[in-house]
Amino acid sequence: MAADRPKQYLPLLGRPILAHTLERLHSAFPEARLVLCLDDDDRWFAEQWVPFADWQRVTGGAERMDSVLNALNAIGAGDDDLVLIHDVARPCVTRDDLLALHQAVQSHAAGALLAMPVADTMKRASSTGTSLRSEPRDALWHALTPQGFRYRQLCRALGEARKRNTLVTDEASAVEALGDAPQLVPGRRDNLKVTHPDDLALAAAILTSQRETSQRSL
């Protein structure tokens, strides 16, 4: 992002990205327990951005899977308790999508994740950045977050990945490596992950549109 602070603290419609994301999660799961993975030397975080009554902060890891394992160890939940993992850089996730995912996790033993079918033509690139060929996009999906699993299952999957020194980029990958098949839950295409500078303007437009749509429906 070429910013002076971690991207989750960049201003979005007058508030940090993190504040918007936590507000969305709280709107769907107000009674949930929240665990925030943050660097120990994070000087940007402010507790007033957290709407949850039951929450705690834990140390983030070098990689995503390390942070999630730290959070799981801190929770100490029951084996069959449901755990949802969300990227705080996705502030536009909707309450409806969150509730749909939660329902899928409850009914699917292997867990579930928000995702969306690939709509664009997919290209295989060469080492020099030229297009070698087009790849079939049938049955290809973009993985989104949140992703949800039962506590014991996710602990086992990420623990096994660590033992094998396998770096997984999302929780579903670790669960798939155990032979399980998480359910794909179709999610909205505006569940944007803020990754590049121009994503901030797009996220602002999405949030504004979502709010206007919600107000019209009242």
Side-chain angles (χ1 to χ4, degrees):
M1 295 292 293
D4 63 348
R5 68 197 72 183
K7 65 182 177 182
Q8 63 263 31
Y9 301 120
L10 292 174
L12 175 61
L13 298 180
R15 303 173 66 205
I17 291 173
L18 177 144
H20 288 281
T21 303
L22 295 183
E23 182 179 67
R24 289 295 175 96
L25 296 176
H26 186 261
S27 71
F29 312 116
E31 304 301 322
R33 181 180 181 186
L34 172 73
V35 181
L36 273 176
C37 302
L38 301 171
D39 289 341
D40 287 337
D41 60 355
D42 188 327
R43 63 185 179 88
W44 299 96
F45 174 71
E47 293 187 1
Q48 64 261 31
W49 297 329
V50 182
F52 290 85
D54 185 3
W55 73 280
Q56 69 183 104
R57 171 178 174 170
V58 301
T59 301
E63 301 291 345
R64 174 188 174 117
M65 62 179 288
D66 300 319
S67 295
V68 175
L69 277 170
N70 288 350
L72 293 173
N73 291 333
I75 292 173
D79 287 353
D80 292 325
D81 286 348
L82 304 184
V83 180
L84 302 185
I85 302 91
H86 188 54
D87 191 330
V88 76
R90 290 185 182 274
C92 302
V93 64
T94 65
R95 183 176 183 271
D96 286 347
D97 273 8
L98 290 169
L99 295 177
L101 174 68
H102 185 261
Q103 184 177 12
V105 177
Q106 286 181 310
S107 60
H108 198 73
L113 65 150
L114 287 180
M116 60 182 184
V118 169
D120 301 309
T121 299
M122 306 301 292
K123 296 293 186 179
R124 176 70 62 183
S126 69
S127 59
T128 59
T130 59
S131 178
L132 293 179
R133 61 182 178 275
S134 298
E135 297 286 356
R137 65 188 180 194
D138 296 343
L140 288 181
W141 291 61
H142 293 285
L144 310 175
T145 69
Q147 302 187 2
F149 307 91
R150 284 165 176 76
Y151 177 78
R152 182 181 180 184
Q153 173 197 31
L154 187 55
C155 287
R156 176 171 170 251
L158 292 177
E160 287 295 324
R162 174 174 283 178
K163 287 180 183 178
R164 298 191 304 269
N165 291 320
T166 301
L167 180 62
V168 294
T169 56
D170 73 344
E171 295 68 43
S173 299
V175 171
E176 292 157 7
L178 297 180
D180 293 329
Q183 179 70 45
L184 294 169
V185 179
R188 289 172 55 122
R189 294 187 176 274
D190 57 6
N191 184 1
L192 171 74
K193 181 178 180 180
V194 177
T195 306
H196 304 286
D198 55 354
D199 290 336
L200 278 172
L202 182 55
I206 291 171
L207 289 178
T208 300
S209 176
Q210 289 177 348
R211 289 175 182 175
E212 291 174 351
T213 300
S214 177
Q215 291 171 357
R216 287 197 297 268
S217 64
L218 294 179

